[in-house]
Amino acid sequence: MDKASLFVQVANMEERLGELYMELGSLKEKILQLIEENQRLQQENSRLLQQLQEDEPMGDSQSHHNLLRIYEEGFHVCHVNYGSLRTDGECLFCLSFLGKH
Ligand SMILES: [Zn+2]
């Protein structure tokens, strides 16, 4: 067994691990930034949806149409998760809320 070559292999591996560790750190930072950005956008979205409903005096059917459109675009319109992105497909709260109008 060539001890020198083994040592070189270990040293190379150590270097690669160091690089991976740094890459991992920068990925972690990017994920945190994305999470913060996502939260900010959800709040903004929720605020805009609320504003849309408050600003425009709408008839019941117009308001129902808007909520349906928002739901179809992939957002919750139910009180439980209002304004956040629907990530699990259909939402029973939303559907029952939309069905009531
Ligand atoms: Zn919902």
Side-chain angles (χ1 to χ4, degrees), residues 9-21:
Q9 268 185 30
V10 169
N12 281 342
M13 198 181 267
E14 208 171 14
E15 198 178 320
R16 265 162 41 210
L17 279 175
E19 283 167 9
L20 278 176
Y21 194 75

Side-chain angles (χ1 to χ4, degrees), residues 6-95:
L6 264 182
F7 186 79
V8 169
Q9 268 185 30
V10 169
N12 281 342
M13 198 181 267
E14 208 171 14
E15 198 178 320
R16 265 162 41 210
L17 279 175
E19 283 167 9
L20 278 176
Y21 194 75
M22 273 169 59
E23 214 176 306
L24 198 66
S26 94
L27 272 179
K28 236 164 76 177
E29 197 132 314
K30 278 181 196 152
I31 289 170
L32 280 176
Q33 281 172 6
L34 283 175
I35 289 172
E36 278 171 21
E37 176 80 357
N38 187 45
Q39 270 172 353
R40 201 184 59 72
L41 288 173
Q42 271 189 7
Q43 280 167 5
E44 176 79 357
N45 191 46
S46 179
R47 197 181 61 76
L48 288 172
L49 286 174
Q50 220 135 17
Q51 214 174 51
L52 183 76
Q53 289 195 308
E54 283 166 9
D55 286 358
E56 294 175 27
M58 291 176 286
D60 260 8
S61 78
Q62 178 67 27
S63 148
H64 182 247
H65 176 80
N66 281 346
L67 285 173
L68 202 62
R69 203 199 60 214
I70 290 165
Y71 180 76
E72 277 163 3
E73 280 172 6
F75 296 98
H76 284 278
V77 293
C78 61
H79 293 295
V80 187
N81 293 302
Y82 190 78
S84 66
L85 207 57
R86 286 194 294 119
T87 49
D88 300 320
E90 304 292 335
C91 169
L92 292 178
F93 295 112
C94 286
L95 288 176

